[in-house]
């Protein structure tokens, strides 16, 4: 069986360099990393993970807690984090909180007991979250957990971009379907949208906004859309913006069922840019979250000085597709 010394000799590097490559040390030059990885493949070397864990009191694992892996956005985020962790020689241990703070606490404690390199968590709720005593770095992503540093899209600015887009298309009666308000993301998106509409209303006093609150899922989109369209047609908004693509797709379903043409009679916009957003008909206008950059930044922080890290907001980008168009003229 090949040893770490055999790998070092084959690659023409020191044992210390091989160890750094195996631990995902970013200071190792790419040319040396490639030589080491080639030697590992050729020799069939497999490190003794149990022995290394005993020496370092850490395992080559990143813990990840998400609210619901069936949510397409969290699935994309988990995939990006797994890819980035793998590039540093680490695997990801995934846990679902099922949007339940108590489950989240149990999952997080279970991960801490396994001494991972660090933990990335997208919290189920930021209300009354406990503080965890541990020297293992913990990072919040997308949604904040307690005082832990947050890496997130600028949700408020992203929602404001959607508001600007609809206003520029001439929409003056707009509905907004917000997500749950027990998360920073849900509150920031609502605040960002409402704030921009308030500013735009100073330019055009005909601008009206009606708001509704749901979850970030398809069913909420359907239920609230049916509520919106339950009144007279002349009271319907000409545009509906939502706090997630899933909500927006729910709206699209109801519009189709009721014979409302999107975008001729109604414009619809989402948030996240999940893969399904470009596959539905019509293709969904949405605010794209920089998922790959979020993952890269989070993993880099865990391998750096996460305890000294401050919050970081990354800009999202508006993706205009065929679900939004100029406001219809109503007589």
């Amino acid at each position: 069986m090949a040893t770490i010394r055999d790998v070092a000799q084959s690659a023409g590097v020191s044992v210390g360099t091989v160890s750094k490559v195996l631990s995902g040390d970013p200071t190792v030059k790419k040319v040396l990393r490639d030589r080491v990885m080639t030697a590992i493949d050729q020799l069939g070397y497999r490190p003794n993970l149990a022995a290394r864990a005993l020496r370092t009191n850490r395992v080559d694992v990143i813990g990840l807690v998400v609210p619901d892996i069936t949510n397409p956005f969290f699935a994309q985020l988990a995939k990006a984090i797994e890819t980035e962790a793998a590039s540093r020689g680490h695997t990801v241990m995934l846990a679902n909180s099922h949007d339940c703070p108590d489950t989240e606490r149990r999952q997080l404690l279970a991960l801490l007991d396994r001494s991972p390199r660090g933990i990335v968590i997208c919290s189920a709720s930021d209300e009354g979250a406990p503080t965890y005593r541990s020297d293992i770095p913990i990072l919040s992503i997308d949604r904040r957990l307690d005082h832990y540093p947050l890496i997130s899209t600028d949700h408020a600015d992203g929602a404001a971009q959607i508001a600007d887009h609809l206003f520029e298309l001439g929409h003056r009666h707009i509905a907004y379907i917000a997500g749950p308000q027990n998360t920073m993301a849900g509150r920031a998106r609502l605040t960002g949208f409402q704030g921009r509409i308030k500013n735009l209303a100073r330019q055009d006093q005909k601008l009206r906004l009606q708001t509704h609150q749901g979850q970030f899922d398809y069913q909420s989109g359907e239920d609230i859309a049916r509520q919106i369209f339950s009144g007279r047609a002349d009271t319907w908004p000409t545009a509906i913006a939502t706090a997630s693509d899933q909500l927006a797709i729910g709206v699209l379903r109801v519009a189709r069922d009721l014979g409302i043409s999107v975008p001729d009679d109604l414009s619809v916009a989402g948030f996240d840019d999940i893969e399904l957003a470009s596959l539905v008909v019509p293709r969904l206008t949405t605010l794209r979250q920089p998922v790959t950059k979020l993952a890269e930044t989070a993993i880099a922080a865990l391998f750096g000085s996460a305890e000294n890290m401050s919050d970081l907001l990354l800009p999202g980008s508006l993706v205009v597709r065929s679900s939004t168009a100029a406001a219809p003229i109503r007589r």
Side-chain angles (χ1 to χ4, degrees):
M1 181 180 295
T3 67
I4 192 170
R5 293 185 183 278
D6 296 329
V7 173
Q9 183 177 1
S10 177
V13 299
S14 68
V15 171
T17 297
V18 177
S19 180
K20 287 182 178 180
V21 171
L22 291 173
S23 66
D25 191 326
T27 63
V28 180
K29 294 181 180 178
K30 184 179 184 303
V31 62
L32 296 181
R33 185 185 301 276
D34 290 344
R35 277 161 48 186
V36 170
M37 295 307 297
T38 298
I40 287 173
D41 290 340
Q42 291 175 344
L43 296 173
Y45 171 72
R46 293 294 178 268
N48 188 329
L49 299 180
R52 186 192 306 167
L54 287 173
R55 290 195 307 270
T56 64
N57 200 32
R58 290 286 185 273
V59 293
D60 294 344
V61 167
I62 301 295
L64 174 62
V65 184
V66 297
D68 180 7
I69 196 61
T70 65
N71 180 315
F73 172 72
F74 296 127
Q76 289 176 214
L77 183 62
K79 180 180 178 180
I81 289 174
E82 183 180 44
T83 298
E84 187 62 22
S87 73
R88 295 173 180 265
H90 282 55
T91 56
V92 169
M93 185 177 291
L94 174 67
N96 279 280
S97 69
H98 306 288
D99 273 313
C100 173
D102 289 339
T103 301
E104 177 182 282
R105 177 173 174 76
R106 290 194 299 271
Q107 297 284 33
L108 191 49
L109 289 173
L111 288 173
L112 289 171
D113 287 343
R114 286 158 175 77
S115 298
R117 177 65 181 256
I119 294 176
V120 179
I121 179 167
C122 183
S123 186
S125 172
D126 54 18
E127 296 179 348
T131 298
Y132 299 88
R133 295 183 179 180
S134 173
D135 61 348
I136 295 172
I138 298 175
L139 286 176
S140 305
I141 193 166
D142 187 63
R143 304 179 184 179
R144 182 183 298 283
L145 174 70
D146 195 51
H147 69 284
Y148 297 105
L150 172 70
I151 299 170
S152 172
T153 301
D154 190 335
H155 297 291
D157 177 73
Q161 289 185 52
I162 293 289
D164 285 337
H165 172 63
L166 296 176
F167 183 80
E168 290 166 2
L169 288 173
H171 294 281
R172 296 298 181 266
H173 184 186
I174 300 171
Y176 183 75
I177 303 178
Q181 297 300 289
N182 64 340
T183 67
M184 183 219 71
R187 294 193 301 273
R189 293 178 193 183
L190 175 59
T191 299
F193 197 89
Q194 286 180 324
R196 185 56 56 90
I197 290 294
K198 182 178 180 180
N199 289 335
L200 292 171
R202 297 191 182 102
Q203 302 177 31
D204 191 327
Q205 295 183 355
K206 294 181 179 180
L207 182 59
R208 290 182 292 157
L209 174 66
Q210 61 182 90
T211 59
H212 305 265
Q213 184 181 331
Q215 300 301 311
F216 285 124
D217 57 26
Y218 303 111
Q219 191 61 51
S220 280
E222 290 194 27
D223 293 343
I224 295 172
R226 292 191 185 281
Q227 176 185 340
I228 290 172
F229 296 126
S230 63
R232 300 192 321 269
D234 60 357
T235 67
W236 294 352
T238 61
I240 297 178
T242 67
S244 77
D245 289 343
Q246 289 179 282
L247 281 166
I249 292 169
V251 173
L252 290 178
R253 287 177 179 174
V254 172
R256 179 199 59 199
D257 292 347
L258 297 179
I260 300 170
S261 175
V262 177
D264 295 335
D265 300 324
L266 175 74
S267 285
V268 179
F271 199 111
D272 289 331
D273 195 27
I274 61 176
E275 292 180 357
L276 191 57
S278 62
L279 300 176
V280 294
V281 179
R283 293 181 173 87
L284 185 64
T285 292
T286 185
L287 195 289
R288 175 179 294 162
Q289 293 211 58
V291 173
T292 299
K293 187 65 176 178
L294 289 170
E296 290 174 350
T297 304
I299 297 301
L302 291 183
F303 280 84
S305 300
E307 64 275 9
N308 297 321
M309 182 180 171
S310 57
D311 291 354
L312 179 63
L313 297 183
L314 302 177
S317 55
L318 180 66
V319 180
V320 178
R321 299 193 179 101
S322 53
S323 69
T324 53
I329 298 175
R330 293 180 177 174
R331 299 182 183 280

